[in-house]
Amino acid sequence: MTGASPVDDHRSSALGAPVGRRIVLGVLAAGAAGVLSGDAVSNALARVLGPLEARDPTGLLALFPLGDTFRFYSVTGSVPRRTAATYRLSVSGLVAQPAVYTVADLKALPQTTFVRDFHCVTGWRVPEVHWAGVQLSEVLDRAQPLASATAIRFRSFDGTYTENMTLEQARRPDVIVALQMLGKPVTHDHGGPVRMYAGSMYGYKSTKWLSGIELLDHAEPGYWETRGYPLNGIIQK
Amino acid sequence: MSVTPESAPPQATIARYTHAERIVHRLTAALMIVCILTAAVLYNGSLAIRIGHRRQIELVHVYAGFALPVPMLLGLAFAAYRDDVSRLNRFTRADWRWLRSRSRRDGSIPIGKFNAGQKLNANLTAGAILVLLGTGVIMYFPDLTRLAWRTGATFVHDWFALAIGLLVLGHIYFAMKDREARRGMRTGRVSRAWARNEHPEWVDELDSSR
């Protein structure tokens, strides 16, 4: 404020201008502008600097939050490592043909490949991720769900994580049992050797370290859904 | 030698921070460190996988973040704290000279209780804390806003976290270089000689108001 009372007039001019308040307000304005424009700005940054970052020999660019990097989620202390040789995926519950798949079994099924952004419900995203694997609908067709089956429960070999989808959502063409991600087999940190990926849903629907697909006659809330995230994870723009 | 009250030498140390101010500083520092350590686990991929327990780490981070401004707000109940906040708010002409000067430490530019660098740090940190709080709320309650704003909030939160990390590092760096400044925050008192050197205008102000 500029208006000072006559009594402390000389004192306030000696004290100086209230620049600190302006700095705080300026920082707040910058933050607000960033929230409104960050989606577009981080897209542009990722497009320009992403390719440089991938080829940056110093690795220094990776230290900056360009808005195109995965955050690695693990909800347990440590996740056992499974290789292509030791991995098993069980399909069970309300199905006529329960089955256990190895990585080789999954590779023998028709493969789907597409490029899609990865969206976390909290807002971070990774643009244009390359995905490959088996459509879940293919696995479901082979299992022959019973008429009473309406929902799916995914399990993880981390021993804790679970997720759910309606049977209808699970049959979307962009819902895959992913064997490849970013152009190579899914790494352990990304939930490999086999994980889910649901292109039109938030990341928490894409169970990492996938170990089981169980068909149920009711929706069973998953790990994050019992902790506040919506049961329906379809991305709403 | 007998000393009469009139000619009593000034005390060897002078009061710089009150008890309340030091408690606010300590609580804020503890919460900030908790935020930074948990942020490292949430953000860095190899730490995130090695330590895991995302939900618990996230809860500690979020609640430490919500609590971060609370000690500072409570500090406003104390007159000494309010007085220092208003000192940090005010930039004099000498402050601008100090910021531009290369020989700012030679004593030729008058410095009050806080120098311009301390003022800049305090205000940038306060602003950044508020931005991190706001963007954190947007990220933690996804129902509040649309996806594009959550992406924007994540982007801002990342960059401001980097910035506040640098501010905190700078703050610690300057504190490590100055033992007496640290004593001031630890005990509340500083030597008169140090104050005369680093904050001469403040010492004059104290002396003239005696």
Side-chain angles (χ1 to χ4, degrees):
Chain A
M1 269 177 284
T2 49
S5 72
V7 182
D8 59 17
D9 198 34
H10 86 276
R11 199 174 165 229
S12 81
S13 67
L15 284 173
V19 173
R21 188 184 310 153
R22 290 174 207 155
I23 291 174
V24 172
L25 292 175
V27 169
L28 282 174
V35 170
L36 299 182
S37 67
D39 188 30
V41 172
S42 72
N43 248 345
L45 263 184
R47 200 169 313 122
V48 175
L49 294 176
L52 288 177
E53 188 185 350
R55 264 173 275 142
D56 173 21
T58 63
L60 287 176
L61 264 180
L63 292 176
F64 292 100
L66 299 180
D68 64 345
T69 45
F70 274 96
R71 332 251 149 146
F72 294 83
Y73 284 33
S74 165
V75 300
T76 61
S78 74
V79 181
R81 284 177 185 268
R82 299 271 156 88
T83 64
T86 60
Y87 177 81
R88 297 291 181 276
L89 170 64
S90 79
V91 180
S92 62
L94 302 172
V95 292
Q97 298 286 336
V100 174
Y101 291 87
T102 64
V103 170
D105 295 337
L106 291 167
K107 277 185 180 159
L109 299 178
Q111 302 292 303
T112 299
T113 298
F114 56 87
V115 172
R116 196 68 48 88
D117 296 355
F118 187 95
H119 276 282
C120 175
V121 66
T122 62
W124 64 268
R125 56 110 196 274
V126 182
E128 298 178 8
V129 180
H130 189 276
W131 299 93
V134 182
Q135 280 182 331
L136 182 56
S137 61
E138 175 77 31
V139 175
L140 293 173
D141 287 347
R142 282 162 194 272
Q144 299 169 30
L146 304 181
S148 56
T150 59
I152 289 188
R153 184 175 175 84
F154 299 97
R155 289 181 192 283
S156 166
F157 61 80
D158 74 359
T160 300
Y161 201 83
T162 55
E163 248 321 316
N164 88 305
M165 264 179 219
T166 66
L167 193 52
E168 197 189 338
Q169 289 171 346
R171 287 189 179 282
R172 287 183 175 219
D174 62 3
V175 177
I176 63 168
V177 176
L179 298 165
Q180 290 207 3
M181 174 181 173
L182 302 164
K184 54 179 193 284
V186 182
T187 62
H188 173 79
D189 288 359
H190 278 303
V194 179
R195 68 173 293 169
M196 287 302 304
Y197 176 66
S200 50
M201 301 178 211
Y202 289 119
Y204 66 95
K205 288 290 179 187
S206 298
T207 303
K208 290 168 76 172
W209 303 296
L210 181 70
S211 66
I213 296 171
E214 188 183 355
L215 281 87
L216 307 173
D217 58 4
H218 65 284
E220 187 78 38
Y223 180 86
W224 287 111
E225 284 133 15
T226 57
R227 292 166 177 80
Y229 287 174
L231 199 59
N232 181 0
I234 305 284
I235 295 171
Q236 265 117 31
K237 296 274 177 182
Chain B
M1 193 174 109
S2 75
V3 176
T4 61
E6 285 82 8
S7 67
Q11 281 182 288
T13 65
I14 49 184
R16 183 159 171 83
Y17 298 117
T18 62
H19 216 77
E21 289 179 297
R22 277 143 51 214
I23 289 173
V24 168
H25 179 260
R26 204 152 276 186
L27 290 176
T28 305
L31 289 167
M32 181 65 87
I33 288 168
V34 170
C35 281
I36 289 173
L37 292 179
T38 47
V41 177
L42 294 173
Y43 189 77
N44 179 282
S46 57
L47 281 178
I49 291 290
R50 198 169 313 149
I51 294 171
H53 295 106
R54 180 112 198 155
R55 174 66 176 168
Q56 291 81 349
I57 303 275
E58 181 189 283
L59 280 177
V60 172
H61 182 78
V62 164
Y63 282 94
F66 287 159
L68 188 54
V70 173
M72 289 183 272
L73 290 175
L74 293 179
L76 290 173
F78 297 87
Y81 185 89
R82 287 198 302 274
D83 184 60
D84 279 357
V85 167
S86 94
R87 286 170 186 271
L88 289 165
N89 181 28
R90 298 281 174 173
F91 279 59
T92 62
R93 278 207 198 99
D95 284 331
W96 296 113
R97 277 216 315 282
W98 190 90
L99 286 172
R100 281 194 301 267
S101 164
R102 288 191 180 182
S103 52
R104 56 178 72 99
R105 307 255 174 210
D106 68 1
S108 65
I109 301 174
I111 301 171
K113 186 169 183 182
F114 301 107
N115 68 41
Q118 293 171 314
K119 293 178 184 180
L120 209 53
N121 177 60
N123 290 297
L124 288 174
T125 304
I129 284 173
L130 292 175
V131 168
L132 287 164
L133 182 67
T135 50
V137 166
I138 291 175
M139 290 152 69
Y140 192 62
F141 301 103
D143 295 339
L144 285 182
T145 54
R146 63 184 76 163
L147 178 60
W149 291 10
R150 297 201 300 273
T151 303
T154 304
F155 185 66
V156 169
H157 203 83
D158 287 355
W159 279 100
F160 273 72
L162 191 66
I164 213 166
L166 293 176
L167 286 171
V168 168
L169 278 182
H171 180 65
I172 292 171
Y173 170 76
F174 285 111
M176 291 321 285
K177 286 209 308 192
D178 192 335
R179 196 190 155 86
E180 194 61 16
R182 293 204 306 279
R183 181 158 86 115
M185 197 39 96
R186 199 172 62 248
T187 67
R189 300 189 74 83
V190 291
S191 77
R192 176 169 284 273
W194 176 86
R196 176 64 52 221
N197 238 352
E198 299 284 334
H199 303 279
E201 296 279 284
W202 176 53
V203 179
D204 289 347
E205 188 189 315
L206 289 178
D207 288 346
S208 69
S209 66
R210 266 164 32 128

